[in-house]
Amino acid sequence: VILCDVLMPDTTGMDLFQMLASKYPDQAERLLFITGGATSEATRLFMTEHANRVVSKPFNPGEIEAAVRAAARFPMPIAAPCVSPGSAS
């Protein structure tokens, strides 16, 4: 399982998901997103489309452990709709 923040200094979790989905689909299936909240419509849409793979901050250890276990057992299909890279603002 790959833990990835939705918003990072030089990229976004959405962009990372798209890159992995196109080049390394088996890795994209293992992404689990953490976030402190959506700051744009594109981010809100992405989080809604991938709600089963988003853990909101602040989270407790039990929440993140359960999310990691679920992601390890049931990889996310990469065919899930996603915002295209660069469309988040």
Side-chain angles (χ1 to χ4, degrees):
V1 174
I2 302 167
L3 292 174
C4 176
D5 206 322
V6 172
L7 299 175
M8 299 175 279
D10 297 324
T11 191
T12 69
M14 298 174 292
D15 292 338
L16 178 63
F17 176 81
Q18 285 292 1
M19 185 278 297
L20 288 175
S22 67
K23 295 182 179 183
Y24 309 101
D26 58 322
Q27 297 303 309
E29 294 175 350
R30 303 226 170 265
L31 278 170
L32 178 63
F33 302 99
I34 56 175
T35 185
T39 59
S40 70
E41 185 59 33
T43 304
R44 280 189 287 283
L45 178 61
F46 181 84
M47 289 172 44
T48 299
E49 291 173 345
H50 297 91
N52 62 330
R53 288 308 174 113
V54 175
V55 178
S56 295
K57 298 179 209 172
F59 50 81
N60 66 49
E63 287 175 293
I64 199 73
E65 181 180 353
V68 168
R69 287 181 188 275
R73 264 185 267 140
F74 306 106
M76 172 177 55
I78 61 164
C82 184
V83 177
S84 61
S87 63
S89 51

